[in-house]
Amino acid sequence: MSFHDDVTAAQRCLDDLDRAVTRLEQRVGSALDIRRIRCDSDHLRQSLALLREVAPAAGPGPQLVTIPDTPYDSTLSADADDEGLGARGRRAP
């Protein structure tokens, strides 16, 4: 899915949530919990609108880098210190 498809799907889910909250509100009235859900839903809608505005600047996502299965060249770390052990050929004090 593309970014815009994901945003559209999230928008549809928010619309479904609003309809469900409206039905709940009709059954139980305008209780504190319903008002909190309505407020949270409004915040999600605002955040989604902000995300939609930023989308053109986001550009393509990160590109995958394939790592070969062949072993690394052992000469790359020939004179490196072993972590926690120190340099090769030296004794600990």
Side-chain angles (χ1 to χ4, degrees):
M1 281 183 120
S2 71
F3 175 82
H4 294 291
D5 292 340
D6 290 337
V7 171
T8 303
Q11 183 70 45
R12 272 186 260 134
C13 290
L14 277 176
D15 293 341
D16 291 342
L17 177 64
D18 282 340
R19 284 191 289 276
V21 170
T22 300
R23 287 192 302 268
L24 282 172
E25 196 171 16
Q26 291 170 350
R27 289 184 182 175
V28 297
S30 184
L32 178 62
D33 294 334
I34 297 294
R35 289 188 306 223
R36 284 183 181 159
I37 293 172
R38 180 74 65 196
C39 183
D40 291 343
S41 173
D42 291 341
H43 284 138
L44 286 172
R45 193 171 298 283
Q46 291 170 359
S47 297
L48 196 58
L50 290 172
L51 187 62
R52 195 181 294 263
E53 289 175 9
V54 173
Q63 295 182 356
L64 296 177
V65 177
T66 53
I67 299 174
D69 290 334
T70 58
Y72 288 106
D73 184 10
S74 61
T75 59
L76 293 174
S77 60
D79 61 343
D81 292 347
D82 288 329
E83 185 174 334
L85 300 176
R88 292 184 186 166
R90 283 195 293 166
R91 294 179 153 226

